[in-house]
Amino acid sequence: MSHANTLGQAAQTSAPLRLDALETPCLILDADRMERNIARLRDRLAPLGVALRPHLKTAKSVEVARHVMSSPQGPATVSTLKEAEFFAAAGVRDIIYAVGITPWKLAKVIELRRQGVDLAVVLDTVEQAEAVAAASREAGIAIPVLIEIDCDGHRSGVVPDDAARLVAIGRALIDGGELRGVLTHAGGSYGARGVQALQQAAEQERKSVVDAAAILRGAGLPCPVVSLGSTPTAHHALDLTGVTEVRAGVFVFFDLVMAGIGICQVEDIAISVLATVIGHQREKGWILVDAGWMAMSQDRGTAKQAVNQGYGVVCDIAGHAYPDLIMADANQEHGIITLRPGSQGTLPDLAIGDRLRILPNHACATGAQHRQYNVVHGESDVVTGQWQRFGGW
Amino acid sequence: MSHANTLGQAAQTSAPLRLDALETPCLILDADRMERNIARLRDRLAPLGVALRPHLKTAKSVEVARHVMSSPQGPATVSTLKEAEFFAAAGVRDIIYAVGITPWKLAKVIELRRQGVDLAVVLDTVEQAEAVAAASREAGIAIPVLIEIDCDGHRSGVVPDDAARLVAIGRALIDGGELRGVLTHAGGSYGARGVQALQQAAEQERKSVVDAAAILRGAGLPCPVVSLGSTPTAHHALDLTGVTEVRAGVFVFFDLVMAGIGICQVEDIAISVLATVIGHQREKGWILVDAGWMAMSQDRGTAKQAVNQGYGVVCDIAGHAYPDLIMADANQEHGIITLRPGSQGTLPDLAIGDRLRILPNHACATGAQHRQYNVVHGESDVVTGQWQRFGGW
């Protein structure tokens, strides 16, 4: 849209853009909810004495990043080198690229470090550490490394008691690289149920990196950074002794999966997809909208939870959820909205052309389907900004 | 990438770009397989005497569209007005926008028609028809309409024997609009199993639009176009008497869902995601790659089929599938590759930095995660073109 980026100013001098003038489907961000979500995690972490290094893979936007980072220079976490390049170009100077590095990506890491970005990489093998040390020597630039720790078996990393592998990786970095610390992510916490299980997942996450750091230090190796994080554990850790920083991303927006785990309420979810009613199948109790899986993503993360939210929870244009109304099915550009199975409720009376907002299962996945946040504040229908998102690699 | 768009020429005069020089993850299109897939459907439809109106929602690329359309002017089908605008700008002049229209979208339809694009819309209510007629009168431009028919209950449309509704819609268009015909899509055929069930789905699809056309004509209304289509039914229809055109999209690339239904072989699938090995969890039999659900999409369409392919089937860099090797799980930027449950096979010996190609469950969904096709031909590793894709609304 032509007013993108300049809307913040334009809105002051001409008629404001309103939700009912947006083309649908599009992505809506309630900045008031976002600010509350960010404040909530900051308030939680402050007494625990750790820094927040937000994961920007959820936001993929300079404006959102500036709201969530503690300074315009960072610190930040990213999941792709494109994110690193994009945020570096916007002035971020302290970044961890938190997906295991491959040797051919090191040239780009070195390029960013030459530009003054303190970009660190993550790895879990001696082979990768040797490649980092060799590339560092060749460039005359020490690439900082965090050794990935596998705290719960859900993905990559060194198990925290594999002292031989940890020390071998650390030593492989000595001649050229820089061992900066250890890092883990409790991805398994997404499957935890109940406060106690979440507190246990948080403590297991903490213990894994603190133990690994002790092994490295015991072998005479440096380990200044002890990094962990996931939105569920960040909101449930009771003690973060020995930890230097927490990483989390989804907490900024929240989503139905987080609500299903109990990390937030549905009313806290800050992003939604604006859709228009395009038809009915009245005898089936279906309302059809112009947002399908292309707009919502195909994330069905709540299907494994106690309450299956289909492709999303349906709200009115002000963002209030209709009781029991979900997007039960979706095609590429069609969404089928209906009452939850077993509901005693009634369908809202919606005409063709009426607008709805759909809350997503997974903020990272739904956000990725869009190139712009349309920013609103609470119940106001005025769009106060249009913030660009980026995608790709 | 800087060589995008000009590579076709550049490759002639300098060293060719090869698969192992691409940044990963990225989308690969085997143009040889694509050409065979296109020829196969054309050869099938020719003796049935119907035109092909390809659905470009799968391709979202001018270059692919030009390979699949019968002329640079079309005909074509689209699922969003952005697709209509994009392909119109590239010279396509005969387009059906095949998602139910809402009144506020009509201004854009009229704008495209004013530019000389024969853009038709789809609807299934009298209310929409009245809005189209009113907008047509106001603009002095008759908007052509296809009435959507519900052939199998899977989504929107008028049931084919609801004569009263069909005729009422047709009559509502008389004063200003243009009733061009009827249209259906056998989306239910994706759940059909076996040749006989697919042939029945095709005949049910045909009968639904032919019956609806007869009702309209019997009421003295025009119905020149009788349009149907889905990739499974297009490949199984034995008789298309009374049908004027077939629409299909996925047939260009095919995917694992289509292979699971039996419409193609895994070896026919023309698109894949190139990924790099970033790690191992050897004791678990896992290989980790830098393509997660962001690169593959979260489509799990084969999970409901006889063979669950996880997030995709893993091939070597030349596109040959490894026996029983699938992407069993995925995070945003991590894929976990392992042998299919119960496999007696062995993991290939892959080192960090090695490259793989992953075949997708659903071509439309995986394609949408990327902004470019890297074009190869069969087993050659030379990238002969980089074709831009678009997304959004």
Side-chain angles (χ1 to χ4, degrees):
Chain A
M1 293 186 186
S2 58
H3 39 239
N5 287 328
T6 59
L7 187 90
Q9 285 72 46
Q12 306 302 315
T13 54
S14 60
L17 181 66
R18 294 184 186 278
L19 283 180
D20 62 9
L22 295 177
E23 293 183 26
T24 59
C26 65
L27 190 64
I28 308 298
L29 168 58
D30 182 337
D32 289 0
R33 292 187 183 187
M34 177 184 78
E35 293 291 4
R36 284 198 295 272
N37 295 338
I38 293 170
R40 187 179 147 210
L41 188 60
R42 290 208 170 274
D43 290 350
R44 186 166 202 289
L45 295 179
L48 292 167
V50 291
L52 175 62
R53 179 186 289 276
H55 204 316
L56 303 181
K57 78 182 176 74
T58 315
K60 298 215 183 200
S61 144
V62 171
E63 289 86 350
V64 175
R66 287 184 181 153
H67 278 79
V68 67
M69 293 187 302
S70 44
S71 91
Q73 291 77 43
T77 315
V78 299
S79 67
T80 65
L81 282 177
K82 179 163 179 185
E83 291 166 37
E85 292 175 308
F86 183 90
F87 289 114
V92 182
R93 287 292 168 270
D94 177 1
I95 304 176
I96 295 177
Y97 169 40
V99 174
I101 195 76
T102 49
W104 66 263
K105 291 182 181 170
L106 291 169
K108 197 167 272 186
V109 172
I110 287 167
E111 194 181 310
L112 282 164
R113 290 197 61 82
R114 282 219 171 95
Q115 293 168 21
V117 181
D118 185 10
L119 177 63
V121 302
V122 163
L123 52 77
D124 64 1
T125 63
V126 172
E127 184 182 351
Q128 289 163 299
E130 286 170 346
V132 166
S136 297
R137 284 194 305 272
E138 198 181 320
I141 285 182
I143 299 171
V145 166
L146 295 133
I147 303 176
E148 186 172 7
I149 305 301
D150 177 10
C151 65
D152 58 11
H154 84 284
R155 192 166 73 192
S156 39
V158 183
V159 289
D161 61 355
D162 189 346
R165 187 163 156 193
L166 285 170
V167 172
I169 292 170
R171 289 190 177 145
L173 288 165
I174 290 172
D175 184 16
E178 175 198 333
L179 176 58
R180 185 166 286 181
V182 289
L183 170 149
T184 198
H185 164 62
S189 70
Y190 280 55
R193 294 293 174 270
V195 169
Q196 202 180 352
L198 286 159
Q199 289 172 348
Q200 282 170 357
E203 174 55 17
Q204 179 178 315
E205 185 184 36
R206 186 196 72 84
K207 189 170 184 305
S208 75
V209 269
V210 168
D211 286 358
I215 288 170
L216 291 168
R217 291 170 186 146
L221 291 162
C223 190
V225 174
V226 179
S227 178
L228 56 68
S230 75
T231 288
T233 53
H235 271 295
H236 283 83
L238 298 176
D239 170 28
L240 288 172
T241 304
V243 173
T244 64
E245 64 178 34
V246 167
R247 306 180 326 282
V250 170
F251 77 94
V252 177
F253 302 135
F254 283 129
D255 53 30
L256 293 169
V257 165
M258 287 297 124
I261 304 174
I263 314 297
C264 68
Q265 302 298 311
V266 168
E267 294 70 27
D268 297 325
I269 299 173
I271 68 166
S272 57
V273 172
L274 187 70
T276 303
V277 174
I278 60 168
H280 299 87
Q281 292 287 29
R282 293 191 192 278
E283 67 291 357
K284 292 176 180 164
W286 291 358
I287 298 167
L288 289 126
V289 294
D290 65 354
W293 57 251
M294 189 67 86
M296 296 307 302
S297 91
Q298 294 197 338
D299 196 291
R300 299 292 306 273
T302 56
K304 292 167 276 182
Q305 295 187 329
V307 180
N308 179 354
Q309 307 284 22
Y311 286 83
V313 163
V314 182
C315 303
D316 64 21
I317 196 166
H320 302 295
Y322 289 105
D324 285 342
L325 199 65
I326 62 170
M327 185 182 287
D329 205 354
N331 295 155
Q332 186 160 335
E333 301 290 351
H334 295 80
I336 297 177
I337 287 172
T338 189
L339 293 169
R340 195 188 301 290
S343 170
Q344 301 300 311
T346 51
L347 273 186
D349 185 24
L350 294 167
I352 287 171
D354 282 352
R355 288 170 173 233
L356 299 166
R357 277 162 70 179
I358 327 279
L359 302 174
N361 284 317
H362 187 172
C364 305
T366 301
Q369 303 300 101
H370 299 266
R371 285 295 168 271
Q372 181 172 278
Y373 297 99
N374 294 282
V375 181
V376 298
H377 294 266
E379 299 197 358
S380 166
D381 69 340
V382 175
V383 179
T384 61
Q386 292 183 310
W387 295 348
Q388 301 305 301
R389 280 184 59 97
F390 65 99
W393 295 272
Chain B
M1 291 184 185
S2 57
H3 39 238
N5 288 326
T6 58
L7 187 90
Q9 285 72 46
Q12 306 302 316
T13 53
S14 60
L17 181 64
R18 294 183 187 279
L19 283 180
D20 62 8
L22 294 176
E23 293 183 25
T24 59
C26 65
L27 189 64
I28 307 299
L29 168 59
D30 182 337
D32 289 359
R33 293 187 184 188
M34 177 184 77
E35 294 290 4
R36 284 197 295 273
N37 295 339
I38 293 170
R40 188 180 145 210
L41 188 60
R42 289 206 171 276
D43 291 349
R44 185 164 202 287
L45 295 180
L48 292 166
V50 291
L52 176 62
R53 179 186 287 276
H55 205 316
L56 303 181
K57 77 181 176 74
T58 316
K60 298 215 182 198
S61 143
V62 172
E63 290 86 350
V64 175
R66 288 187 179 150
H67 278 78
V68 67
M69 292 187 301
S70 43
S71 91
Q73 291 75 45
T77 315
V78 300
S79 68
T80 66
L81 283 176
K82 179 162 179 185
E83 291 166 36
E85 293 174 308
F86 183 88
F87 289 114
V92 182
R93 286 292 169 270
D94 178 1
I95 304 176
I96 295 177
Y97 168 41
V99 173
I101 194 74
T102 49
W104 67 263
K105 290 182 182 171
L106 291 170
K108 199 167 271 186
V109 173
I110 287 167
E111 193 180 312
L112 282 164
R113 290 198 62 82
R114 282 217 171 96
Q115 293 167 22
V117 181
D118 185 10
L119 176 63
V121 303
V122 164
L123 52 77
D124 64 1
T125 63
V126 171
E127 184 182 351
Q128 288 164 299
E130 287 171 345
V132 167
S136 296
R137 285 195 302 273
E138 196 181 323
I141 285 181
I143 299 172
V145 166
L146 295 133
I147 303 177
E148 185 171 8
I149 305 301
D150 177 11
C151 66
D152 60 10
H154 85 284
R155 190 166 72 192
S156 37
V158 183
V159 290
D161 60 356
D162 189 346
R165 185 162 157 194
L166 285 170
V167 172
I169 293 171
R171 290 192 177 143
L173 289 165
I174 290 174
D175 184 17
E178 173 198 335
L179 177 57
R180 186 166 284 179
V182 289
L183 170 148
T184 198
H185 164 62
S189 69
Y190 281 54
R193 294 294 173 269
V195 170
Q196 203 180 349
L198 287 159
Q199 288 171 347
Q200 282 169 357
E203 175 54 18
Q204 180 178 316
E205 186 183 36
R206 185 196 73 84
K207 190 172 182 306
S208 75
V209 270
V210 168
D211 287 357
I215 288 170
L216 292 169
R217 290 171 187 146
L221 291 163
C223 190
V225 174
V226 180
S227 178
L228 56 67
S230 77
T231 289
T233 54
H235 271 296
H236 283 83
L238 299 176
D239 171 26
L240 289 173
T241 304
V243 172
T244 64
E245 63 177 35
V246 167
R247 306 180 325 282
V250 170
F251 77 96
V252 177
F253 302 135
F254 283 130
D255 53 32
L256 294 167
V257 165
M258 288 295 125
I261 304 174
I263 315 297
C264 68
Q265 303 297 311
V266 169
E267 294 71 26
D268 298 324
I269 299 173
I271 67 167
S272 56
V273 172
L274 187 70
T276 303
V277 174
I278 60 169
H280 300 87
Q281 293 286 27
R282 293 191 192 279
E283 67 291 356
K284 293 176 179 165
W286 291 358
I287 298 167
L288 289 126
V289 295
D290 64 355
W293 57 251
M294 188 68 84
M296 296 307 301
S297 90
Q298 294 197 335
D299 195 290
R300 299 292 305 274
T302 55
K304 292 167 276 183
Q305 296 187 328
V307 180
N308 179 353
Q309 306 285 23
Y311 287 83
V313 162
V314 182
C315 304
D316 63 22
I317 196 166
H320 302 295
Y322 288 105
D324 285 343
L325 199 65
I326 63 170
M327 185 182 286
D329 204 353
N331 296 155
Q332 185 160 335
E333 301 289 352
H334 295 79
I336 297 177
I337 287 172
T338 188
L339 292 168
R340 196 188 301 289
S343 168
Q344 301 301 308
T346 52
L347 272 186
D349 185 25
L350 295 166
I352 287 171
D354 283 353
R355 287 169 176 234
L356 298 166
R357 277 162 69 180
I358 326 279
L359 302 174
N361 284 317
H362 187 173
C364 306
T366 301
Q369 303 300 101
H370 299 267
R371 286 294 168 271
Q372 179 171 280
Y373 297 99
N374 294 281
V375 181
V376 298
H377 294 265
E379 299 197 357
S380 166
D381 69 340
V382 176
V383 179
T384 61
Q386 292 183 310
W387 296 348
Q388 301 306 301
R389 280 184 59 98
F390 65 98
W393 295 270

